[in-house]
Amino acid sequence: MARSCAGEEAESDVTATASPIRQATVGEMIGMLIAAALVLPLIVIAALTENSGYAFHAMLGVAAAMVSVVLIANRCFDGTPAAEPQEIDGKPNYNMAPVKFATVAAMVWGIAGFAVGLIIALQLAFPALNFDLPWINFGRLRPLHTSAVIFAFGGNVLIGTSFYVVQRTCRARMAGILSPWFVVLGYNFFIVIAGTGYLLGITQGKEYAEPEWYADLWLTIVWVVYLLVFLGTVMKRREPHIYVANWFYLGFILTIAVLHIGNNVAVPVSLLSPRSYGLWSGVQDAMFQWWYGHNAVGFFLTAGFLAIMYYFVPKRAERPIYSYRLSIIHFWALIFIYIWAGPHHLHYTALPDWAQTLGMTFSIMLWMPSWGGMINGIMTLSGAWDRLRTDPVLRMMVVSLAFYGMATFEGPLMSIKAVNGLSHYTDWTIGHVHAGALGWVAYISFGAIYCLVPWLWNRKQLYSLKLVSWHFWISTLGIVFYICAMWVSGILQGLMWRAYTSLGFLEYSFIETVAAMHPFYVIRALGGALFLIGALIMAFNLWMTVRSETAADAPRSDIAPSPLAAAV
C-alpha cells in the first residue's frame, strides 16, 4: 500500500512537471472574454437573418470565436509560458511562428487564386464553362480571383515578411504575445468571409473593395492591431537606426488603413442584413473609389512590396543597398505623389476636368520616384552580376524589378488623356495590371518566400535550385503570353470601337469586337496555365525543403545577419 501511494505520488509529480497549469494572463483573459461574448450575438444573427449567406458567415464567426477560446485556454494547460524571454544567451529570441503560418497561407491562397484566374480566363474564351451556375459564373469568380491573389496571397506575404523584417532589422522580439497571432489568423478569417461572400452573392460592388460592412469592420480591427504590433516592435528596437524597409512597411500599413476606412464608410440596413448604404454617392463615390482603388495598388502592391525588395534583394545578393540616400528620397517622393494619382481612372467622366488633369499630372510625375526605386534595387547587384547565372532566386527578384520598371512606365503613359482614350475599358488595361501583378508583385513575393522557407525551418538551402529555374522560365513564358495577348487585343479593341464608316456610323458591332478577341483569350488562358504550373513546382520545392532533414549548422540569427550593417 505504501509503495502504491508512493508510486501514485511520483506519477502525480511527473504529470505535474510535464504539463504545469498556470494562471491566465490579463491579455489571455480579455481575449477569451471577448471571443466568448461574441458567440451568443452571432448565433442570434444567424437564427434571425433572412439572408442565408449572412447566416453562414455568422456561424463561421461562432466557430472562430469558440476555437479562439479553446486555443487561448489551452495555452494555460500545455506548458506554454505566460511570456517568452526577449533574449536567449544575449541574442534576440525572435517570434517566427506567425511568420511561418503567413508564409504557408500565402502559398495556399496563391495557388487557389491563380487556379481561379485560369478558370475565369477559360470562361471568357469558352463561355459554356460558366455552366449556368450562379456560384461559379464569371461575375462572382472574378472578384474572388482578384481578392485571392491581391489580398490573400499578397496580404499574407506582406504580413509575414513585415513581421520577419521588423524583428531582424530592429534586433528585437515582436511586440505582443497573442497580438501577432490575432493579426495573422484574423486577417485570414477576413479572407474566408470575403471569398465565400462573393460566391454567395454578398458584395457591395466596388473594385478591390467588394466585402460588405461587417467584413470591412472586422478588417479594420485586425489592421489597427497590425499597426500596433509593428509600431510596438519598432519602438522596442535595440538597433538605433530604422532600416528603410520598415519605413515602406509603415507607410503601407498607415495609408491602407486611411484608404480602407475612407472608401468603406457605410450605414448597414440593419444588424440582421449584410447590405449597407455607402456614405458617398454619385461622382463623389467614384472619386473616393478610385482614390482607394489606385492607391490600393500604390500602397498595397507597391510600397509594401518595395519594402520586401529593400530587404531581400540586398540579403540574397549579399551586397549593401546601392544607395541608402536614394532609398529615402524614393520613399518620400513616392508617398507624397502616389496619393494624388487616382483621378486618372476617371478620364472622360463626370469628374471635373481639373481633377482629371491633376490625376494625370501626378501620374506622370510618379515615373521618376518609381524608376528611382527600380534603379536602386538593380544597381544593388553591382559587383555581383555573376550571381544571376547561378542563383535563380536572385534572378527572379531582379526580373521582378524589370517588370516593376516597365509597369511604372506604362502606367503614367496610359494616364495621359490622349492615350487613355484608346486604352480605357480595353484589355490593354488588363495586360498592364498583370504585368505589375505577375511580373512585379508575384515574382518579388516568390523570391522572398524562397529565401524565407530555409531560414524559418532552419535548412541549409532549398531542396532544388533547378526546380526554381524551371519555375522561373515556365512562369516567365506564361507572363509573356499573357501580357502580349492583352496588349494586342486591347489595342485592337480600342481601334475597332473607334472605327467609323464614311457615313459616320460605327464600322463594327460590339459582338464583332468580342469575336475578334477569342484567339487572344485562348492565349491568355495558356499563359495563366503556365504561371499556375510554375507555382505548383514552387510549392513542391518548398514542401521538399521543409521535409528535408539537412539542418543548417547554426541558428539563423548567426548565419543570416541583417543587411542593415552593410546598408549603414
Side-chain angles (χ1 to χ4, degrees):
M1 182 68 178
R3 282 197 306 270
S4 175
C5 291
E8 289 176 4
E9 185 177 347
E11 184 179 349
S12 175
D13 290 342
V14 170
T15 304
T17 304
S19 55
I21 299 175
R22 62 170 177 81
Q23 186 176 0
T25 64
V26 174
E28 289 169 339
M29 289 296 295
I30 292 174
M32 287 190 288
L33 286 174
I34 292 175
L38 290 173
V39 172
L40 183 59
L42 289 172
I43 291 175
V44 171
I45 290 173
L48 297 181
T49 184
E50 296 180 357
N51 187 294
S52 59
Y54 190 40
F56 173 69
H57 284 167
M59 292 310 298
L60 281 181
V62 170
M66 294 175 68
V67 169
S68 299
V69 172
V70 172
L71 290 177
I72 296 173
N74 188 57
R75 288 171 53 86
C76 301
F77 294 92
D78 66 0
T80 302
E84 293 284 349
Q86 297 296 304
E87 294 183 355
I88 297 177
D89 296 331
K91 295 178 181 178
N93 179 28
Y94 299 126
N95 180 10
M96 293 302 175
V99 181
K100 285 185 176 182
F101 183 93
T103 303
V104 173
M107 282 309 303
V108 171
W109 286 120
I111 289 172
F114 304 149
V116 174
L118 175 58
I119 291 170
I120 60 176
L122 289 168
Q123 286 179 340
L124 282 177
F126 308 102
L129 294 177
N130 284 269
F131 296 113
D132 292 328
L133 296 173
W135 309 283
I136 61 167
N137 67 24
F138 181 88
R140 294 192 184 183
L141 288 184
R142 191 265 177 179
L144 180 67
H145 162 64
T146 54
S147 290
V149 173
I150 296 172
F151 299 115
F153 169 67
N156 274 287
V157 169
L158 288 170
I159 291 173
T161 57
S162 66
F163 280 170
Y164 181 88
V165 171
V166 74
Q167 292 184 87
R168 298 308 307 273
T169 56
C170 292
R171 304 187 190 280
R173 183 180 175 86
M174 192 158 24
I177 300 172
L178 296 179
S179 301
W181 278 111
F182 174 78
V183 173
V184 172
L185 297 176
Y187 185 80
N188 280 278
F189 182 69
F190 161 76
I191 295 297
V192 171
I193 292 294
T196 54
Y198 304 153
L199 298 179
L200 295 169
I202 300 176
T203 171
Q204 60 177 343
K206 289 186 174 184
E207 185 78 358
Y208 309 133
E210 290 90 352
E212 269 288 0
W213 65 270
Y214 57 97
D216 288 333
L217 184 60
W218 173 251
L219 180 59
T220 303
I221 296 169
V222 171
W223 210 258
V224 169
V225 177
Y226 180 23
L227 173 62
L228 294 176
V229 171
F230 194 88
L231 276 177
T233 308
V234 172
M235 291 173 67
K236 62 188 283 193
R237 69 188 184 277
R238 295 178 59 200
E239 172 63 52
H241 186 84
I242 300 177
Y243 186 58
V244 67
N246 292 327
W247 284 101
F248 276 93
Y249 279 127
L250 191 56
F252 137 70
I253 297 169
L254 277 171
T255 310
I256 289 298
V258 175
L259 294 169
H260 173 72
I261 294 171
N263 190 49
N264 291 294
V265 178
V267 178
V269 172
S270 79
L271 290 177
L272 299 178
S273 171
R275 307 302 177 190
S276 62
Y277 293 101
L279 191 63
W280 322 114
S281 61
V283 72
Q284 289 83 10
D285 184 52
M287 181 67 246
F288 261 97
Q289 163 58 31
W290 285 109
W291 168 71
Y292 164 88
H294 184 78
N295 289 296
V297 172
F299 288 88
F300 199 94
L301 296 178
T302 301
F305 290 92
L306 284 169
I308 296 174
M309 180 273 287
Y310 272 116
Y311 183 87
F312 287 92
V313 169
K315 204 74 173 60
R316 192 73 185 186
E318 298 178 334
R319 304 283 298 172
I321 195 71
Y322 173 68
S323 171
Y324 200 76
R325 184 172 291 135
L326 178 58
S327 70
I328 298 299
I329 296 172
H330 172 212
F331 171 77
W332 288 110
L334 200 74
I335 294 299
F336 277 114
I337 296 175
Y338 225 122
I339 203 76
W340 298 96
H344 76 231
H345 288 265
L346 297 169
H347 284 328
Y348 306 108
T349 67
L351 189 72
D353 188 67
W354 67 265
Q356 298 178 35
T357 303
L358 181 75
M360 178 184 72
T361 303
F362 276 92
S363 299
I364 295 170
M365 291 168 62
L366 264 176
W367 169 73
M368 292 176 284
S370 298
W371 272 35
M374 175 199 67
I375 292 168
N376 208 7
I378 290 179
M379 290 303 293
T380 297
L381 270 73
S382 296
W385 290 106
D386 58 299
R387 296 280 300 277
L388 294 181
R389 290 185 289 106
T390 57
D391 188 351
V393 176
L394 186 60
R395 187 190 311 146
M396 183 172 279
M397 289 195 281
V398 170
V399 169
S400 78
L401 286 166
F403 273 109
Y404 173 62
M406 181 179 68
T408 52
F409 173 79
E410 187 181 28
L413 174 69
M414 295 172 70
S415 73
I416 299 171
K417 285 187 176 181
V419 179
N420 196 266
L422 174 68
S423 71
H424 209 57
Y425 307 116
T426 72
D427 289 337
W428 186 357
T429 304
I430 309 302
H432 164 64
V433 168
H434 283 78
L438 301 180
W440 158 237
V441 173
Y443 266 17
I444 197 69
S445 299
F446 291 158
I449 293 173
Y450 275 130
C451 290
L452 276 176
V453 168
W455 298 348
L456 293 172
W457 276 270
N458 198 29
R459 300 295 183 262
K460 281 186 177 180
Q461 58 188 6
L462 288 165
Y463 170 71
S464 171
L465 284 180
K466 185 173 289 187
L467 285 178
V468 179
S469 249
W470 276 98
H471 174 201
F472 172 78
W473 289 113
I474 290 173
S475 56
T476 299
L477 186 62
I479 295 173
V480 170
F481 279 157
Y482 192 114
I483 61 178
C484 288
M486 291 298 94
W487 284 337
V488 175
S489 69
I491 294 172
L492 178 61
Q493 271 181 325
L495 292 175
M496 291 180 75
W497 291 347
R498 293 166 61 150
Y500 291 90
T501 65
S502 58
L503 298 177
F505 296 105
L506 288 173
E507 186 167 353
Y508 302 101
S509 67
F510 181 74
I511 195 63
E512 286 178 303
T513 67
V514 173
M517 297 304 106
H518 183 262
F520 304 107
Y521 286 168
V522 173
I523 296 171
R524 170 167 71 173
L526 173 61
L530 291 172
F531 196 83
L532 175 60
I533 290 169
L536 291 171
I537 292 172
M538 177 182 183
F540 172 76
N541 199 1
L542 296 178
W543 172 251
M544 294 302 293
T545 301
V546 173
R547 289 191 60 190
S548 170
E549 296 180 358
T550 309
D553 296 329
R556 286 310 315 176
S557 57
D558 291 335
I559 63 177
S562 164
L564 184 59
V568 298

